[in-house]
Amino acid sequence: MAMKIRLARGGSKKRPHYSIVASDARMPRDGRFIEKLGTYNPLLPKDSEDRVKMDLDRVKYWLDQGAQPTDRLSRMLEAAGVLEKKVRANPNKAKPGKKAVERAEEKAAKVAAAAEAAAAPAEAAAEE
């Protein structure tokens, strides 16, 4: 049986609250699960201790049994020190979009034009 450690969504509209669960990979996201391992509340501040609560012993047990954590949970487990940090290299994610590049070029052109305009009167005054 393929096992996953994942988030099961709860809470009302615009007020999410997640349970960290170990479940069969074939079950739906909010469906049947085998064991509840903790909670995650994204509405709390990032430095709050109550934002992520996990039973790390049970998480380690399920990882030893072959359960695969989802991407978001693997990041939480890396922060908790349970998993080693993975190298994530997506150089395209950091690149600005077309509009941002165009705005940066326009701004650079305006700055260059302003610098030339400021330099021209200074040169004329220096010649006299």
Side-chain angles (χ1 to χ4, degrees), residues 60-83:
K60 289 177 187 175
Y61 167 79
W62 283 110
L63 291 173
D64 291 341
Q65 297 298 315
Q68 296 296 314
T70 58
D71 291 339
R72 178 60 47 197
L73 258 166
S74 64
R75 287 178 184 260
M76 291 178 193
L77 293 173
E78 288 169 8
V82 176
L83 292 178

Side-chain angles (χ1 to χ4, degrees), residues 1-127:
M1 177 165 56
M3 293 294 299
K4 285 270 193 195
I5 299 176
R6 62 173 158 212
L7 297 172
R9 192 180 194 280
S12 59
K13 180 179 175 184
K14 308 263 186 185
R15 303 285 298 169
H17 184 271
Y18 296 92
S19 296
I20 301 169
V21 297
S23 69
D24 185 350
R26 297 171 293 186
M27 293 296 136
R29 179 193 70 181
D30 300 336
R32 191 170 67 201
F33 60 89
I34 296 172
E35 183 177 359
K36 183 176 175 182
L37 304 173
T39 59
Y40 168 58
N41 188 351
L43 299 177
L44 294 176
K46 291 191 178 189
D47 58 349
S48 174
E49 293 178 10
D50 294 335
R51 185 175 169 102
V52 178
K53 291 184 178 180
M54 281 188 269
D55 184 358
L56 294 178
D57 293 334
R58 293 305 294 171
V59 170
K60 289 177 187 175
Y61 167 79
W62 283 110
L63 291 173
D64 291 341
Q65 297 298 315
Q68 296 296 314
T70 58
D71 291 339
R72 178 60 47 197
L73 258 166
S74 64
R75 287 178 184 260
M76 291 178 193
L77 293 173
E78 288 169 8
V82 176
L83 292 178
E84 293 182 17
K85 190 164 177 109
K86 294 179 186 174
V87 177
R88 293 177 178 89
N90 188 355
N92 294 328
K93 181 137 178 119
K95 290 182 183 177
K98 290 180 185 177
K99 289 279 191 179
V101 170
E102 290 173 5
R103 283 193 298 266
E105 289 172 356
E106 289 175 10
K107 187 175 180 181
K110 286 181 182 178
V111 169
E116 288 177 17
E123 290 176 7
E127 291 176 2

